[in-house]
PDB file of all heavy atoms in Angstrom:
ATOM      1  N   GLU A 747      18.623  -3.275  30.239  1.00 97.00           N
ATOM      2  CA  GLU A 747      17.574  -2.344  29.803  1.00 97.00           C
ATOM      3  C   GLU A 747      18.161  -1.261  28.910  1.00 97.00           C
ATOM      4  O   GLU A 747      17.530  -0.849  27.936  1.00 97.00           O
ATOM      5  CB  GLU A 747      16.858  -1.736  31.017  1.00 97.00           C
ATOM      6  CG  GLU A 747      15.584  -1.028  30.661  1.00 97.00           C
ATOM      7  CD  GLU A 747      14.539  -1.915  29.974  1.00 97.00           C
ATOM      8  OE1 GLU A 747      14.245  -3.013  30.460  1.00 97.00           O
ATOM      9  OE2 GLU A 747      14.020  -1.484  28.919  1.00 97.00           O
ATOM     10  N   ARG A 748      19.356  -0.810  29.198  1.00 97.00           N
ATOM     11  CA  ARG A 748      20.025   0.189  28.340  1.00 97.00           C
ATOM     12  C   ARG A 748      20.310  -0.396  26.954  1.00 97.00           C
ATOM     13  O   ARG A 748      20.149   0.282  25.944  1.00 97.00           O
ATOM     14  CB  ARG A 748      21.337   0.664  28.981  1.00 97.00           C
ATOM     15  CG  ARG A 748      21.182   1.499  30.245  1.00 97.00           C
ATOM     16  CD  ARG A 748      20.532   2.861  29.976  1.00 97.00           C
ATOM     17  NE  ARG A 748      21.084   3.550  28.841  1.00 97.00           N
ATOM     18  CZ  ARG A 748      21.985   4.520  28.880  1.00 97.00           C
ATOM     19  NH1 ARG A 748      22.428   4.954  30.014  1.00 97.00           N
ATOM     20  NH2 ARG A 748      22.441   5.068  27.775  1.00 97.00           N
ATOM     21  N   ILE A 749      20.746  -1.641  26.900  1.00 97.00           N
ATOM     22  CA  ILE A 749      20.973  -2.305  25.612  1.00 97.00           C
ATOM     23  C   ILE A 749      19.659  -2.377  24.845  1.00 97.00           C
ATOM     24  O   ILE A 749      19.600  -2.056  23.650  1.00 97.00           O
ATOM     25  CB  ILE A 749      21.580  -3.708  25.826  1.00 97.00           C
ATOM     26  CG1 ILE A 749      23.008  -3.586  26.365  1.00 97.00           C
ATOM     27  CG2 ILE A 749      21.534  -4.522  24.531  1.00 97.00           C
ATOM     28  CD1 ILE A 749      23.601  -4.891  26.841  1.00 97.00           C
ATOM     29  N   ARG A 750      18.608  -2.766  25.520  1.00 97.00           N
ATOM     30  CA  ARG A 750      17.282  -2.859  24.894  1.00 97.00           C
ATOM     31  C   ARG A 750      16.837  -1.504  24.363  1.00 97.00           C
ATOM     32  O   ARG A 750      16.333  -1.403  23.244  1.00 97.00           O
ATOM     33  CB  ARG A 750      16.305  -3.379  25.943  1.00 97.00           C
ATOM     34  CG  ARG A 750      14.914  -3.621  25.458  1.00 97.00           C
ATOM     35  CD  ARG A 750      14.054  -3.978  26.650  1.00 97.00           C
ATOM     36  NE  ARG A 750      12.853  -4.680  26.272  1.00 97.00           N
ATOM     37  CZ  ARG A 750      11.904  -4.988  27.131  1.00 97.00           C
ATOM     38  NH1 ARG A 750      12.024  -4.696  28.416  1.00 97.00           N
ATOM     39  NH2 ARG A 750      10.815  -5.597  26.729  1.00 97.00           N
ATOM     40  N   GLU A 751      16.997  -0.448  25.150  1.00 97.00           N
ATOM     41  CA  GLU A 751      16.619   0.896  24.710  1.00 97.00           C
ATOM     42  C   GLU A 751      17.420   1.328  23.482  1.00 97.00           C
ATOM     43  O   GLU A 751      16.867   1.926  22.552  1.00 97.00           O
ATOM     44  CB  GLU A 751      16.844   1.903  25.840  1.00 97.00           C
ATOM     45  CG  GLU A 751      15.877   1.766  26.989  1.00 97.00           C
ATOM     46  CD  GLU A 751      16.268   2.599  28.206  1.00 97.00           C
ATOM     47  OE1 GLU A 751      17.260   3.368  28.123  1.00 97.00           O
ATOM     48  OE2 GLU A 751      15.597   2.464  29.235  1.00 97.00           O
ATOM     49  N   THR A 752      18.697   1.012  23.475  1.00 97.00           N
ATOM     50  CA  THR A 752      19.555   1.365  22.335  1.00 97.00           C
ATOM     51  C   THR A 752      19.084   0.649  21.072  1.00 97.00           C
ATOM     52  O   THR A 752      19.002   1.247  19.997  1.00 97.00           O
ATOM     53  CB  THR A 752      21.018   1.028  22.642  1.00 97.00           C
ATOM     54  OG1 THR A 752      21.423   1.768  23.800  1.00 97.00           O
ATOM     55  CG2 THR A 752      21.924   1.380  21.468  1.00 97.00           C
ATOM     56  N   ILE A 753      18.768  -0.626  21.203  1.00 96.00           N
ATOM     57  CA  ILE A 753      18.269  -1.396  20.060  1.00 96.00           C
ATOM     58  C   ILE A 753      16.983  -0.765  19.535  1.00 96.00           C
ATOM     59  O   ILE A 753      16.818  -0.580  18.330  1.00 96.00           O
ATOM     60  CB  ILE A 753      18.055  -2.873  20.449  1.00 96.00           C
ATOM     61  CG1 ILE A 753      19.401  -3.549  20.697  1.00 96.00           C
ATOM     62  CG2 ILE A 753      17.254  -3.607  19.377  1.00 96.00           C
ATOM     63  CD1 ILE A 753      19.303  -4.909  21.350  1.00 96.00           C
ATOM     64  N   ARG A 754      16.079  -0.413  20.423  1.00 96.00           N
ATOM     65  CA  ARG A 754      14.808   0.192  20.011  1.00 96.00           C
ATOM     66  C   ARG A 754      15.005   1.568  19.365  1.00 96.00           C
ATOM     67  O   ARG A 754      14.234   1.956  18.496  1.00 96.00           O
ATOM     68  CB  ARG A 754      13.871   0.314  21.204  1.00 96.00           C
ATOM     69  CG  ARG A 754      13.310  -1.014  21.649  1.00 96.00           C
ATOM     70  CD  ARG A 754      12.424  -0.820  22.842  1.00 96.00           C
ATOM     71  NE  ARG A 754      11.726  -2.048  23.195  1.00 96.00           N
ATOM     72  CZ  ARG A 754      10.991  -2.155  24.265  1.00 96.00           C
ATOM     73  NH1 ARG A 754      10.830  -1.154  25.096  1.00 96.00           N
ATOM     74  NH2 ARG A 754      10.392  -3.296  24.528  1.00 96.00           N
ATOM     75  N   GLU A 755      16.011   2.320  19.811  1.00 97.00           N
ATOM     76  CA  GLU A 755      16.279   3.633  19.211  1.00 97.00           C
ATOM     77  C   GLU A 755      16.715   3.500  17.760  1.00 97.00           C
ATOM     78  O   GLU A 755      16.295   4.275  16.913  1.00 97.00           O
ATOM     79  CB  GLU A 755      17.359   4.373  20.002  1.00 97.00           C
ATOM     80  CG  GLU A 755      16.876   4.940  21.312  1.00 97.00           C
ATOM     81  CD  GLU A 755      18.002   5.581  22.104  1.00 97.00           C
ATOM     82  OE1 GLU A 755      19.062   5.902  21.534  1.00 97.00           O
ATOM     83  OE2 GLU A 755      17.816   5.754  23.326  1.00 97.00           O
ATOM     84  N   VAL A 756      17.578   2.534  17.472  1.00 94.00           N
ATOM     85  CA  VAL A 756      18.090   2.389  16.110  1.00 94.00           C
ATOM     86  C   VAL A 756      17.185   1.545  15.227  1.00 94.00           C
ATOM     87  O   VAL A 756      17.278   1.615  14.010  1.00 94.00           O
ATOM     88  CB  VAL A 756      19.529   1.844  16.087  1.00 94.00           C
ATOM     89  CG1 VAL A 756      20.474   2.794  16.790  1.00 94.00           C
ATOM     90  CG2 VAL A 756      19.616   0.457  16.687  1.00 94.00           C
ATOM     91  N   ALA A 757      16.320   0.739  15.837  1.00 94.00           N
ATOM     92  CA  ALA A 757      15.402  -0.114  15.077  1.00 94.00           C
ATOM     93  C   ALA A 757      14.039  -0.112  15.765  1.00 94.00           C
ATOM     94  O   ALA A 757      13.684  -1.070  16.455  1.00 94.00           O
ATOM     95  CB  ALA A 757      15.964  -1.531  14.971  1.00 94.00           C
ATOM     96  N   PRO A 758      13.263   0.955  15.582  1.00 94.00           N
ATOM     97  CA  PRO A 758      11.986   1.074  16.292  1.00 94.00           C
ATOM     98  C   PRO A 758      11.001  -0.068  16.027  1.00 94.00           C
ATOM     99  O   PRO A 758      10.155  -0.359  16.861  1.00 94.00           O
ATOM    100  CB  PRO A 758      11.410   2.397  15.802  1.00 94.00           C
ATOM    101  CG  PRO A 758      12.522   3.124  15.149  1.00 94.00           C
ATOM    102  CD  PRO A 758      13.539   2.106  14.746  1.00 94.00           C
ATOM    103  N   ASP A 759      11.105  -0.720  14.879  1.00 95.00           N
ATOM    104  CA  ASP A 759      10.187  -1.802  14.532  1.00 95.00           C
ATOM    105  C   ASP A 759      10.699  -3.184  14.946  1.00 95.00           C
ATOM    106  O   ASP A 759      10.166  -4.198  14.502  1.00 95.00           O
ATOM    107  CB  ASP A 759       9.913  -1.795  13.028  1.00 95.00           C
ATOM    108  CG  ASP A 759       9.214  -0.523  12.579  1.00 95.00           C
ATOM    109  OD1 ASP A 759       8.485   0.073  13.396  1.00 95.00           O
ATOM    110  OD2 ASP A 759       9.412  -0.114  11.424  1.00 95.00           O
ATOM    111  N   VAL A 760      11.713  -3.230  15.782  1.00 96.00           N
ATOM    112  CA  VAL A 760      12.281  -4.502  16.222  1.00 96.00           C
ATOM    113  C   VAL A 760      11.223  -5.309  16.967  1.00 96.00           C
ATOM    114  O   VAL A 760      10.361  -4.757  17.641  1.00 96.00           O
ATOM    115  CB  VAL A 760      13.534  -4.265  17.111  1.00 96.00           C
ATOM    116  CG1 VAL A 760      13.162  -3.657  18.450  1.00 96.00           C
ATOM    117  CG2 VAL A 760      14.332  -5.534  17.277  1.00 96.00           C
ATOM    118  N   THR A 761      11.264  -6.626  16.794  1.00 96.00           N
ATOM    119  CA  THR A 761      10.391  -7.501  17.567  1.00 96.00           C
ATOM    120  C   THR A 761      11.243  -8.230  18.598  1.00 96.00           C
ATOM    121  O   THR A 761      12.414  -8.517  18.366  1.00 96.00           O
ATOM    122  CB  THR A 761       9.649  -8.522  16.685  1.00 96.00           C
ATOM    123  OG1 THR A 761      10.605  -9.327  16.002  1.00 96.00           O
ATOM    124  CG2 THR A 761       8.745  -7.826  15.688  1.00 96.00           C
ATOM    125  N   GLU A 762      10.631  -8.514  19.732  1.00 96.00           N
ATOM    126  CA  GLU A 762      11.329  -9.156  20.835  1.00 96.00           C
ATOM    127  C   GLU A 762      10.680 -10.494  21.159  1.00 96.00           C
ATOM    128  O   GLU A 762       9.475 -10.639  21.077  1.00 96.00           O
ATOM    129  CB  GLU A 762      11.243  -8.306  22.101  1.00 96.00           C
ATOM    130  CG  GLU A 762      11.849  -6.962  22.008  1.00 96.00           C
ATOM    131  CD  GLU A 762      11.700  -6.182  23.316  1.00 96.00           C
ATOM    132  OE1 GLU A 762      10.935  -6.616  24.206  1.00 96.00           O
ATOM    133  OE2 GLU A 762      12.356  -5.146  23.442  1.00 96.00           O
ATOM    134  N   SER A 763      11.511 -11.429  21.555  1.00 94.00           N
ATOM    135  CA  SER A 763      11.037 -12.700  22.073  1.00 94.00           C
ATOM    136  C   SER A 763      12.165 -13.285  22.920  1.00 94.00           C
ATOM    137  O   SER A 763      13.208 -12.666  23.081  1.00 94.00           O
ATOM    138  CB  SER A 763      10.648 -13.653  20.934  1.00 94.00           C
ATOM    139  OG  SER A 763      11.755 -13.910  20.097  1.00 94.00           O
ATOM    140  N   VAL A 764      11.941 -14.459  23.452  1.00 94.00           N
ATOM    141  CA  VAL A 764      12.980 -15.160  24.195  1.00 94.00           C
ATOM    142  C   VAL A 764      13.155 -16.520  23.547  1.00 94.00           C
ATOM    143  O   VAL A 764      12.200 -17.281  23.408  1.00 94.00           O
ATOM    144  CB  VAL A 764      12.628 -15.296  25.690  1.00 94.00           C
ATOM    145  CG1 VAL A 764      13.671 -16.133  26.410  1.00 94.00           C
ATOM    146  CG2 VAL A 764      12.506 -13.923  26.334  1.00 94.00           C
ATOM    147  N   LYS A 765      14.366 -16.802  23.115  1.00 92.00           N
ATOM    148  CA  LYS A 765      14.716 -18.095  22.509  1.00 92.00           C
ATOM    149  C   LYS A 765      16.018 -18.559  23.136  1.00 92.00           C
ATOM    150  O   LYS A 765      16.906 -17.736  23.408  1.00 92.00           O
ATOM    151  CB  LYS A 765      14.913 -17.972  20.995  1.00 92.00           C
ATOM    152  CG  LYS A 765      13.723 -17.449  20.248  1.00 92.00           C
ATOM    153  CD  LYS A 765      12.684 -18.507  20.067  1.00 92.00           C
ATOM    154  CE  LYS A 765      11.598 -17.942  19.165  1.00 92.00           C
ATOM    155  NZ  LYS A 765      10.338 -18.527  19.354  1.00 92.00           N
ATOM    156  N   TYR A 766      16.148 -19.852  23.351  1.00 90.00           N
ATOM    157  CA  TYR A 766      17.351 -20.405  23.979  1.00 90.00           C
ATOM    158  C   TYR A 766      17.635 -19.708  25.303  1.00 90.00           C
ATOM    159  O   TYR A 766      18.786 -19.462  25.657  1.00 90.00           O
ATOM    160  CB  TYR A 766      18.562 -20.318  23.046  1.00 90.00           C
ATOM    161  CG  TYR A 766      18.333 -20.976  21.714  1.00 90.00           C
ATOM    162  CD1 TYR A 766      18.239 -20.223  20.552  1.00 90.00           C
ATOM    163  CD2 TYR A 766      18.186 -22.358  21.629  1.00 90.00           C
ATOM    164  CE1 TYR A 766      18.019 -20.823  19.324  1.00 90.00           C
ATOM    165  CE2 TYR A 766      17.961 -22.963  20.403  1.00 90.00           C
ATOM    166  CZ  TYR A 766      17.882 -22.195  19.257  1.00 90.00           C
ATOM    167  OH  TYR A 766      17.670 -22.799  18.050  1.00 90.00           O
ATOM    168  N   THR A 767      16.595 -19.350  26.027  1.00 90.00           N
ATOM    169  CA  THR A 767      16.635 -18.681  27.333  1.00 90.00           C
ATOM    170  C   THR A 767      17.279 -17.300  27.293  1.00 90.00           C
ATOM    171  O   THR A 767      17.672 -16.775  28.324  1.00 90.00           O
ATOM    172  CB  THR A 767      17.318 -19.545  28.429  1.00 90.00           C
ATOM    173  OG1 THR A 767      18.718 -19.619  28.199  1.00 90.00           O
ATOM    174  CG2 THR A 767      16.693 -20.918  28.520  1.00 90.00           C
ATOM    175  N   MET A 768      17.382 -16.691  26.108  1.00 94.00           N
ATOM    176  CA  MET A 768      17.959 -15.348  25.978  1.00 94.00           C
ATOM    177  C   MET A 768      17.010 -14.444  25.201  1.00 94.00           C
ATOM    178  O   MET A 768      16.305 -14.912  24.299  1.00 94.00           O
ATOM    179  CB  MET A 768      19.286 -15.399  25.206  1.00 94.00           C
ATOM    180  CG  MET A 768      20.405 -16.089  25.923  1.00 94.00           C
ATOM    181  SD  MET A 768      21.956 -15.961  25.001  1.00 94.00           S
ATOM    182  CE  MET A 768      21.621 -17.036  23.613  1.00 94.00           C
ATOM    183  N   PRO A 769      17.020 -13.144  25.490  1.00 96.00           N
ATOM    184  CA  PRO A 769      16.264 -12.214  24.659  1.00 96.00           C
ATOM    185  C   PRO A 769      16.759 -12.272  23.214  1.00 96.00           C
ATOM    186  O   PRO A 769      17.958 -12.361  22.957  1.00 96.00           O
ATOM    187  CB  PRO A 769      16.568 -10.851  25.278  1.00 96.00           C
ATOM    188  CG  PRO A 769      16.862 -11.154  26.697  1.00 96.00           C
ATOM    189  CD  PRO A 769      17.606 -12.466  26.646  1.00 96.00           C
ATOM    190  N   LEU A 770      15.802 -12.243  22.308  1.00 96.00           N
ATOM    191  CA  LEU A 770      16.097 -12.243  20.875  1.00 96.00           C
ATOM    192  C   LEU A 770      15.422 -11.027  20.271  1.00 96.00           C
ATOM    193  O   LEU A 770      14.215 -10.820  20.446  1.00 96.00           O
ATOM    194  CB  LEU A 770      15.561 -13.514  20.215  1.00 96.00           C
ATOM    195  CG  LEU A 770      15.563 -13.548  18.687  1.00 96.00           C
ATOM    196  CD1 LEU A 770      16.974 -13.446  18.139  1.00 96.00           C
ATOM    197  CD2 LEU A 770      14.873 -14.806  18.183  1.00 96.00           C
ATOM    198  N   PHE A 771      16.195 -10.223  19.567  1.00 97.00           N
ATOM    199  CA  PHE A 771      15.684  -9.049  18.874  1.00 97.00           C
ATOM    200  C   PHE A 771      15.791  -9.326  17.380  1.00 97.00           C
ATOM    201  O   PHE A 771      16.868  -9.669  16.885  1.00 97.00           O
ATOM    202  CB  PHE A 771      16.494  -7.804  19.250  1.00 97.00           C
ATOM    203  CG  PHE A 771      16.425  -7.499  20.720  1.00 97.00           C
ATOM    204  CD1 PHE A 771      17.362  -8.027  21.595  1.00 97.00           C
ATOM    205  CD2 PHE A 771      15.411  -6.708  21.227  1.00 97.00           C
ATOM    206  CE1 PHE A 771      17.298  -7.768  22.950  1.00 97.00           C
ATOM    207  CE2 PHE A 771      15.332  -6.438  22.584  1.00 97.00           C
ATOM    208  CZ  PHE A 771      16.276  -6.968  23.448  1.00 97.00           C
ATOM    209  N   GLN A 772      14.657  -9.192  16.671  1.00 95.00           N
ATOM    210  CA  GLN A 772      14.619  -9.477  15.235  1.00 95.00           C
ATOM    211  C   GLN A 772      14.264  -8.210  14.478  1.00 95.00           C
ATOM    212  O   GLN A 772      13.301  -7.512  14.833  1.00 95.00           O
ATOM    213  CB  GLN A 772      13.568 -10.534  14.928  1.00 95.00           C
ATOM    214  CG  GLN A 772      13.855 -11.856  15.578  1.00 95.00           C
ATOM    215  CD  GLN A 772      12.719 -12.826  15.371  1.00 95.00           C
ATOM    216  OE1 GLN A 772      11.697 -12.723  16.036  1.00 95.00           O
ATOM    217  NE2 GLN A 772      12.910 -13.760  14.454  1.00 95.00           N
ATOM    218  N   TYR A 773      15.037  -7.932  13.413  1.00 92.00           N
ATOM    219  CA  TYR A 773      14.787  -6.750  12.596  1.00 92.00           C
ATOM    220  C   TYR A 773      15.252  -7.007  11.174  1.00 92.00           C
ATOM    221  O   TYR A 773      16.432  -7.263  10.941  1.00 92.00           O
ATOM    222  CB  TYR A 773      15.519  -5.537  13.179  1.00 92.00           C
ATOM    223  CG  TYR A 773      15.277  -4.261  12.423  1.00 92.00           C
ATOM    224  CD1 TYR A 773      14.052  -3.608  12.503  1.00 92.00           C
ATOM    225  CD2 TYR A 773      16.260  -3.717  11.619  1.00 92.00           C
ATOM    226  CE1 TYR A 773      13.819  -2.440  11.816  1.00 92.00           C
ATOM    227  CE2 TYR A 773      16.037  -2.542  10.920  1.00 92.00           C
ATOM    228  CZ  TYR A 773      14.820  -1.912  11.020  1.00 92.00           C
ATOM    229  OH  TYR A 773      14.597  -0.759  10.321  1.00 92.00           O
ATOM    230  N   GLN A 774      14.329  -6.997  10.253  1.00 87.00           N
ATOM    231  CA  GLN A 774      14.613  -7.137   8.820  1.00 87.00           C
ATOM    232  C   GLN A 774      15.546  -8.303   8.518  1.00 87.00           C
ATOM    233  O   GLN A 774      16.530  -8.179   7.806  1.00 87.00           O
ATOM    234  CB  GLN A 774      15.192  -5.839   8.272  1.00 87.00           C
ATOM    235  CG  GLN A 774      14.228  -4.683   8.335  1.00 87.00           C
ATOM    236  CD  GLN A 774      14.768  -3.402   7.734  1.00 87.00           C
ATOM    237  OE1 GLN A 774      15.945  -3.306   7.374  1.00 87.00           O
ATOM    238  NE2 GLN A 774      13.915  -2.417   7.623  1.00 87.00           N
ATOM    239  N   GLY A 775      15.263  -9.458   9.073  1.00 84.00           N
ATOM    240  CA  GLY A 775      16.038 -10.656   8.786  1.00 84.00           C
ATOM    241  C   GLY A 775      17.323 -10.797   9.571  1.00 84.00           C
ATOM    242  O   GLY A 775      18.055 -11.759   9.394  1.00 84.00           O
ATOM    243  N   THR A 776      17.628  -9.839  10.415  1.00 86.00           N
ATOM    244  CA  THR A 776      18.813  -9.907  11.253  1.00 86.00           C
ATOM    245  C   THR A 776      18.370 -10.190  12.681  1.00 86.00           C
ATOM    246  O   THR A 776      17.365  -9.661  13.141  1.00 86.00           O
ATOM    247  CB  THR A 776      19.603  -8.581  11.197  1.00 86.00           C
ATOM    248  OG1 THR A 776      19.982  -8.333   9.845  1.00 86.00           O
ATOM    249  CG2 THR A 776      20.843  -8.636  12.061  1.00 86.00           C
ATOM    250  N   TYR A 777      19.114 -11.018  13.359  1.00 92.00           N
ATOM    251  CA  TYR A 777      18.769 -11.427  14.709  1.00 92.00           C
ATOM    252  C   TYR A 777      19.909 -11.071  15.656  1.00 92.00           C
ATOM    253  O   TYR A 777      21.076 -11.195  15.303  1.00 92.00           O
ATOM    254  CB  TYR A 777      18.559 -12.945  14.777  1.00 92.00           C
ATOM    255  CG  TYR A 777      17.518 -13.447  13.820  1.00 92.00           C
ATOM    256  CD1 TYR A 777      17.846 -13.824  12.523  1.00 92.00           C
ATOM    257  CD2 TYR A 777      16.190 -13.541  14.218  1.00 92.00           C
ATOM    258  CE1 TYR A 777      16.879 -14.289  11.641  1.00 92.00           C
ATOM    259  CE2 TYR A 777      15.220 -14.002  13.346  1.00 92.00           C
ATOM    260  CZ  TYR A 777      15.569 -14.372  12.066  1.00 92.00           C
ATOM    261  OH  TYR A 777      14.618 -14.823  11.195  1.00 92.00           O
ATOM    262  N   LEU A 778      19.542 -10.659  16.864  1.00 95.00           N
ATOM    263  CA  LEU A 778      20.535 -10.397  17.895  1.00 95.00           C
ATOM    264  C   LEU A 778      20.055 -11.027  19.198  1.00 95.00           C
ATOM    265  O   LEU A 778      19.014 -10.635  19.725  1.00 95.00           O
ATOM    266  CB  LEU A 778      20.757  -8.893  18.095  1.00 95.00           C
ATOM    267  CG  LEU A 778      21.725  -8.519  19.222  1.00 95.00           C
ATOM    268  CD1 LEU A 778      23.144  -9.004  18.895  1.00 95.00           C
ATOM    269  CD2 LEU A 778      21.714  -7.027  19.466  1.00 95.00           C
ATOM    270  N   TYR A 779      20.808 -12.009  19.650  1.00 96.00           N
ATOM    271  CA  TYR A 779      20.567 -12.588  20.962  1.00 96.00           C
ATOM    272  C   TYR A 779      21.406 -11.812  21.965  1.00 96.00           C
ATOM    273  O   TYR A 779      22.548 -11.446  21.680  1.00 96.00           O
ATOM    274  CB  TYR A 779      21.009 -14.058  21.006  1.00 96.00           C
ATOM    275  CG  TYR A 779      20.151 -14.990  20.202  1.00 96.00           C
ATOM    276  CD1 TYR A 779      20.437 -15.266  18.870  1.00 96.00           C
ATOM    277  CD2 TYR A 779      19.054 -15.603  20.785  1.00 96.00           C
ATOM    278  CE1 TYR A 779      19.648 -16.135  18.136  1.00 96.00           C
ATOM    279  CE2 TYR A 779      18.256 -16.480  20.060  1.00 96.00           C
ATOM    280  CZ  TYR A 779      18.565 -16.738  18.730  1.00 96.00           C
ATOM    281  OH  TYR A 779      17.776 -17.603  18.006  1.00 96.00           O
ATOM    282  N   VAL A 780      20.851 -11.573  23.156  1.00 97.00           N
ATOM    283  CA  VAL A 780      21.573 -10.886  24.217  1.00 97.00           C
ATOM    284  C   VAL A 780      21.418 -11.726  25.476  1.00 97.00           C
ATOM    285  O   VAL A 780      20.299 -11.968  25.926  1.00 97.00           O
ATOM    286  CB  VAL A 780      21.024  -9.462  24.455  1.00 97.00           C
ATOM    287  CG1 VAL A 780      21.840  -8.758  25.518  1.00 97.00           C
ATOM    288  CG2 VAL A 780      21.019  -8.654  23.159  1.00 97.00           C
TER     289      VAL A 780
END
């Protein structure tokens, strides 16, 4: 949850989903799986 909050702080418009059984954060063409 802290990682998620940090991502949202630096990229407020980030979109979230789950792919490959992991959270996926997408922002301006960059993807971060956690």
Side-chain angles (χ1 to χ4, degrees):
E747 193 59 49
R748 291 293 314 261
I749 291 170
R750 184 186 201 186
E751 290 170 5
T752 300
I753 291 168
R754 287 179 173 174
E755 285 176 18
V756 298
D759 297 332
V760 69
T761 60
E762 299 179 348
S763 60
V764 175
K765 302 282 187 206
Y766 305 111
T767 71
M768 292 185 289
L770 169 62
F771 299 91
Q772 297 174 283
Y773 182 73
Q774 296 183 352
T776 301
Y777 304 89
L778 176 65
Y779 290 90
V780 183

